[in-house]
Amino acid sequence: MEEIIINFAKDIVSENILLSFIFFFISQSLQILFPPYPGDMVLILEGYLSELANLNIIIIIINAILATFISSVLLYKLGKKEDEKILQSKLIKYLFDVNKVDKLRKLFEKIGPLVIIISKFIPGIFSITMISAGIFKMKKRLVYISTLLVTSLHHIVLILLGKFLGENWTVIFNKINMYNKYIFILGIIGLAVYGGLHLLKKKLLT
């Protein structure tokens, strides 16, 4: 999929600048709404193509930040609206008892902005965090400010890296890809351990 996205982005930038910005906007939205989508790669690619096609780097950065921010707010509002449905779902009830849900609620009340900022640098977690911020009724102002700050920092760094590295942009992407794989593997191991301990606890209590 990554190779297809790269070739498509290169083709569209050379043919139509307006469509390029629309494609970049959709790409950043998909990274939030569909986390497996390689949004970080597209950010670096945007920086590289901005230099190659002489695109306005400021517009590219604003476009990317806006796409991520709007998508993140949509997830936050979804969590806020469907809070009880999500908390009462069979999956959540199976994985988390009442005490753990209360602990998560208190965590968002105390250090919600920090949770949002840290989650941006953990693959696949940011989207879940935004929904959780809505479920646990984190203050809108704090959600918006922390999301905008971390999104701006994250996007500016990756886009500028792509711009300054030029043809070598794939080097930083490969390093990020490796980091994501390690985090994913650790996450799977963590979930497996948590699931095993959860089942063991249930058996001991019955």
Side-chain angles (χ1 to χ4, degrees), residues 87-152:
L87 289 175
Q88 296 302 319
S89 65
K90 290 181 179 179
L91 179 63
I92 297 299
K93 281 189 171 183
Y94 178 77
L95 293 175
F96 303 101
D97 56 31
V98 177
N99 290 332
K100 286 188 176 67
V101 171
D102 285 340
K103 285 179 181 178
L104 284 172
R105 193 187 303 277
K106 289 175 182 177
L107 182 68
F108 273 92
E109 287 175 357
K110 288 181 179 178
I111 55 167
L114 185 60
V115 174
I116 288 175
I117 290 169
I118 292 173
S119 71
K120 186 61 182 168
F121 301 96
I122 304 175
I125 299 298
F126 184 72
S127 300
I128 298 171
T129 303
M130 294 309 299
I131 294 175
S132 300
I135 292 172
F136 299 123
K137 300 293 187 293
M138 187 176 160
K139 291 181 179 178
K140 184 167 66 174
R141 178 174 56 85
L142 294 177
V143 171
Y144 288 5
I145 291 173
S146 54
T147 301
L148 187 59
L149 284 174
V150 73
T151 297
S152 299

